[in-house]
Amino acid sequence: MKVLARQLFKTVIFSVILSIAVNSIYYAITQKGADYSTALPKICEGIVLLNIIVFIMSLPSLFLVNPAYWNNLPVRLPLYFGGPVAFIVTIFTMPLPPQYKVIYLVTGFIFLIVHSVFYYLRVKKG
């Protein structure tokens, strides 16, 4: 349990940092000449909240502490990756303005990529 919970918290931390960096770059590119000092706190707050949502959606991965679930690949993959994938699919189906969709999708994909890296390391370790 501790290993999976620790991995999930590491995923959130790395995902927040990477999402803030990428979305800040996106903001700087799309909003040339805008006041970045007022936008950065809003970007950080929004990214943290989005990552909390994806984190909550990823909590079913903690059921994988049960060896029967972990050893069953058709159960393991949906439990581990279901939350971030559901978040991304939801963003594609929601009627949002394009600039918001980009921010939400970038955050979701970064979380999924970081989560995948920790999954790979866990499976590789054995």
Side-chain angles (χ1 to χ4, degrees):
M1 171 81 168
K2 289 181 181 180
V3 174
L4 287 172
R6 194 175 309 129
Q7 280 185 339
L8 193 56
F9 284 115
K10 286 180 185 177
T11 299
V12 171
I13 291 168
F14 287 128
S15 178
V16 166
I17 293 167
L18 289 172
S19 295
I20 289 172
V22 171
N23 284 308
S24 294
I25 292 169
Y26 172 74
Y27 179 81
I29 290 171
T30 58
Q31 305 295 323
K32 292 182 171 73
D35 187 15
Y36 193 68
S37 63
T38 59
L40 186 60
K42 291 178 184 178
I43 291 171
C44 293
E45 178 183 335
I47 297 303
V48 168
L49 290 174
L50 285 174
N51 275 284
I52 288 171
I53 292 169
V54 183
F55 166 73
I56 290 170
M57 293 176 77
S58 299
L59 285 177
S61 67
L62 295 179
F63 287 117
L64 292 173
V65 296
N66 184 343
Y69 292 158
W70 181 261
N71 294 328
N72 188 351
L73 188 64
V75 172
R76 178 175 50 190
L77 291 177
L79 278 176
Y80 198 84
F81 293 110
V85 170
F87 180 82
I88 292 168
V89 168
T90 302
I91 298 308
F92 277 120
T93 60
M94 288 181 66
L96 294 169
Q99 64 270 20
Y100 292 155
K101 272 193 179 188
V102 169
I103 293 168
Y104 292 2
L105 287 172
V106 165
T107 303
F109 277 116
I110 287 174
F111 191 96
L112 182 62
I113 291 168
V114 172
H115 205 46
S116 299
V117 168
F118 281 114
Y119 175 79
Y120 172 76
L121 294 174
R122 176 80 175 135
V123 170
K124 183 180 166 187
K125 188 184 284 187

